[in-house]
Amino acid sequence: MGTLVALISWTILGSFWITTDNPIAMSRILLIGLAGLLIYWGGTLVPMSLIRRIKPYESMRSGEVSKGRRFVRARSVLGMSINQNVTYWQRTLLSVVAIALPTSLFIFFLFITFRLKGVLYATWLGEYVALEVGTMHYVAMGVSLLIAILTTTEIMWQNVNERKSQLAVLKATGWRDGQVRLLVLSEGMITGLCAGVIGLLTALGMIGFVYGQFPVQELGFLSIMLFIPVITGVLGALLPAQRAVRITPNAALGSIVENTQATERRFKWALGSIATSLCVGVASLFLFASTESSTAPQQSAPLKQQTNGQKLKDLSSEKKSSNDSNTVNQETALKKLMKRGVIQTYPGDPKAKYELFYAKPLIPTPKKLDLKEKSGYRYITILVFMHNSDTRSEGAYSNYRPGTFTLTSLDGKEYSSVDYVNHNEKALKYGYQYISPYKSLVDLVYQVPIDQKVFVLYAADEAFPKPTTVKIELEGS
């Protein structure tokens, strides 16, 4: 298991190292994978110490069919499942933690995706932090859940092996295969449900810690995500349930279980297939991501024009006609982009000052941001203003995420802000809450190509009802 976790970690981080512009240090990638391997190796220390305490005469003890703890009255399959989970509480706790951790992160990422439009804004040690939650984060959570399924399967398989006599007695007293299977699957479902509750509470705690609020509006949607850990627990119990069904009644008499080798072989084959599919799936996803990045549209070099015997006058007229055509196309693209906004304006427009939101004249990029220059690009800073003067809504907040406003060039390429400066923390909290009736002033910084001169800023959010488009015209480089 530790080797599998290390391989998956190296696959994910190695893919980022190949496909991103600023790769992670190779030494750090190796250390992260080895850390996962050491964690699993460290988990074997306690079982090793317990094995040393086992005495030979304990293997001859008999007469006790079940050593389980009675937490609730076992009059139903559900009650027996709860008692079995309590009996093996250390193993159950390990399965719960393995499922709860990716579940909490998954719920947290969903909150960012749907409430914050996929961008995490926070402050850490006084510094501004922005993280865009994308496909790779959900892929990592999916991999973590698959590892949780494998962990749950291994743990429950051990539980079933230690309960051979008990399960054999149940079958000897008339239990059908379907009832035995339901018993083990119920244990997996209860494990997943406990993990889901813990994961949901952890996610809500993270949201409250980072954003200082309780997500009341999204609570119903986030609670539905409890089905994910429950399904994870049930999937992890499938193979152990099949193992329990194959236990024969005479195992209670002579401690003999038929088809043991065949069942063990099926278990190893199933785990091997899952692990192989997991590695292939992860590699395919990242290969697809790499292919997408490599096929992204790139700006082609200008073609050299060759003469073919035409007169210079004809060539100049064709060039003028081509320039006129390009101008018409740019004007058409500009009108199309500007029509997206109910309010169509430009930086410093005096008429826009009567609106809740508008853009002030462009300003130099703040030096305190310490941004890195990129060849062929330049930084532009747009000063946006937001003010709701209605005193009746004093103290109320609404969603206002200036960091998500996109800048679009006339060729259709969108540019997200690389950073921003919040000049009034009372008006804009946590990067996405506008508090009325304070005045919010934010510097939005974008990195755009030098050869592009005209852009359109599209701004729309809950804090102001009218989507706004701002025409940005830049001077020469």
Side-chain angles (χ1 to χ4, degrees):
M1 288 295 294
T3 304
L4 180 62
V5 171
L7 289 175
I8 293 173
S9 301
W10 286 332
T11 302
I12 295 174
L13 296 175
S15 301
F16 279 118
W17 188 83
I18 294 173
T19 57
T20 55
D21 294 332
N22 299 313
I24 307 172
M26 183 60 68
S27 59
R28 184 175 297 180
I29 294 177
L30 294 175
L31 288 175
I32 291 175
L34 291 176
L37 183 61
L38 291 175
I39 288 173
Y40 273 83
W41 279 353
T44 62
L45 296 178
V46 175
M48 288 169 61
S49 63
L50 294 177
I51 289 174
R52 295 182 60 184
R53 300 179 183 178
I54 297 178
K55 300 178 180 180
Y57 70 87
E58 292 185 0
S59 62
M60 298 182 289
R61 296 173 64 182
S62 60
E64 184 180 2
V65 175
S66 176
K67 57 180 179 181
R69 301 179 183 179
R70 181 167 294 183
F71 185 73
V72 297
R73 301 187 67 177
R75 290 188 175 183
S76 63
V77 171
L78 184 61
M80 294 181 65
S81 300
I82 295 175
N83 288 334
Q84 289 302 324
N85 282 331
V86 174
T87 300
Y88 301 97
W89 66 269
Q90 296 96 334
R91 297 176 183 173
T92 303
L93 181 62
L94 180 59
S95 295
V96 168
V97 172
I99 300 175
L101 288 178
T103 299
S104 61
L105 289 176
F106 185 77
I107 294 175
F108 184 63
F109 288 158
L110 284 177
F111 171 79
I112 296 173
T113 300
F114 290 96
R115 178 68 182 270
L116 307 179
K117 293 186 178 180
V119 182
L120 167 64
Y121 296 105
T123 55
W124 181 256
L125 299 178
E127 295 292 333
Y128 164 75
V129 177
L131 171 65
E132 184 176 358
V133 176
T135 306
M136 293 302 102
H137 294 83
Y138 289 105
V139 171
M141 291 304 99
V143 170
S144 301
L145 288 174
L146 287 175
I147 294 175
I149 291 176
L150 295 178
T151 303
T152 304
T153 300
E154 183 181 7
I155 290 173
M156 296 195 67
W157 185 275
Q158 295 176 6
N159 293 348
V160 168
N161 276 339
E162 293 184 8
R163 293 160 51 199
K164 292 177 184 177
S165 300
Q166 177 189 358
L167 295 172
V169 168
L170 291 178
K171 297 194 74 172
T173 55
W175 276 54
R176 300 175 183 174
D177 290 347
Q179 292 174 306
V180 174
R181 182 181 288 107
L182 180 61
L183 174 65
V184 180
L185 292 179
S186 298
E187 295 174 16
M189 181 190 69
I190 293 173
T191 300
L193 182 61
C194 294
V197 173
I198 295 175
L200 179 61
L201 294 177
T202 304
L204 295 177
M206 288 191 296
I207 294 172
F209 175 76
V210 175
Y211 297 104
Q213 69 162 359
F214 188 80
V216 179
Q217 298 178 355
E218 294 81 10
L219 185 60
F221 169 72
L222 298 179
S223 300
I224 298 177
M225 296 301 108
L226 289 175
F227 285 105
I228 293 177
V230 171
I231 294 173
T232 301
V234 173
L235 290 177
L238 287 177
L239 286 176
Q242 187 63 25
R243 172 77 176 90
V245 167
R246 293 183 177 276
I247 294 177
T248 55
N250 64 338
L253 303 176
S255 297
I256 299 174
V257 183
E258 296 181 357
N259 300 326
T260 301
Q261 294 182 352
T263 306
E264 292 286 349
R265 220 171 19 247
R266 292 190 185 95
F267 176 68
K268 294 178 180 179
W269 180 86
L271 280 183
S273 301
I274 293 174
T276 303
S277 302
L278 179 60
C279 293
V280 172
V282 172
S284 301
L285 284 171
F286 283 102
L287 180 62
F288 176 74
S290 177
T291 305
E292 280 188 336
S293 62
S294 63
T295 57
Q298 299 180 353
Q299 187 174 358
S300 58
L303 297 175
K304 294 183 179 180
Q305 185 177 5
Q306 297 181 352
T307 59
N308 54 4
Q310 289 181 308
K311 296 180 181 180
L312 293 178
K313 184 177 180 181
D314 296 337
L315 289 176
S316 61
S317 62
E318 289 181 4
K319 185 176 181 180
K320 182 178 180 181
S321 176
S322 176
N323 291 336
D324 293 340
S325 177
N326 291 335
T327 303
V328 172
N329 292 337
Q330 290 180 356
E331 291 178 355
T332 303
L334 178 61
K335 290 180 180 179
K336 184 177 180 180
L337 291 173
M338 293 297 291
K339 284 183 178 180
R340 297 174 61 191
V342 177
I343 304 296
Q344 301 175 15
T345 180
Y346 59 89
D349 184 2
K351 297 181 180 179
K353 292 183 178 181
Y354 301 100
E355 303 292 339
L356 298 179
F357 170 87
Y358 65 90
K360 293 192 173 186
L362 301 183
I363 61 174
T365 301
K367 295 182 179 180
K368 65 178 182 179
L369 295 179
D370 192 21
L371 301 171
K372 295 181 180 180
E373 297 293 339
K374 185 177 179 182
S375 178
Y377 287 80
R378 59 177 167 178
Y379 291 103
I380 63 171
T381 303
I382 305 173
L383 187 58
V384 294
F385 180 80
M386 170 71 201
H387 180 215
N388 185 357
S389 58
D390 189 357
T391 56
R392 292 174 298 178
S393 60
E394 183 175 357
Y397 75 88
S398 55
N399 289 336
Y400 177 57
R401 294 157 287 196
T404 63
F405 298 163
T406 57
L407 201 64
T408 307
S409 58
L410 298 185
D411 57 2
K413 294 182 180 179
E414 288 190 354
Y415 301 90
S416 300
S417 63
V418 296
D419 209 338
Y420 74 79
V421 177
N422 182 12
H423 293 283
N424 189 353
E425 296 289 344
K426 292 183 178 181
L428 181 62
K429 288 187 176 181
Y430 316 115
Y432 75 98
Q433 286 184 357
Y434 170 73
I435 309 299
S436 178
Y438 294 106
K439 297 179 180 181
S440 172
L441 197 61
V442 177
D443 299 342
L444 298 180
V445 183
Y446 297 86
Q447 190 176 44
V448 297
I450 294 178
D451 58 350
Q452 296 290 335
K453 301 296 187 295
V454 182
F455 298 87
V456 173
L457 175 71
Y458 178 73
D461 218 328
E462 181 184 353
F464 52 98
K466 299 177 182 179
T468 303
T469 51
V470 184
K471 179 184 177 182
I472 309 294
E473 289 186 295
L474 304 178
E475 298 179 356
S477 57

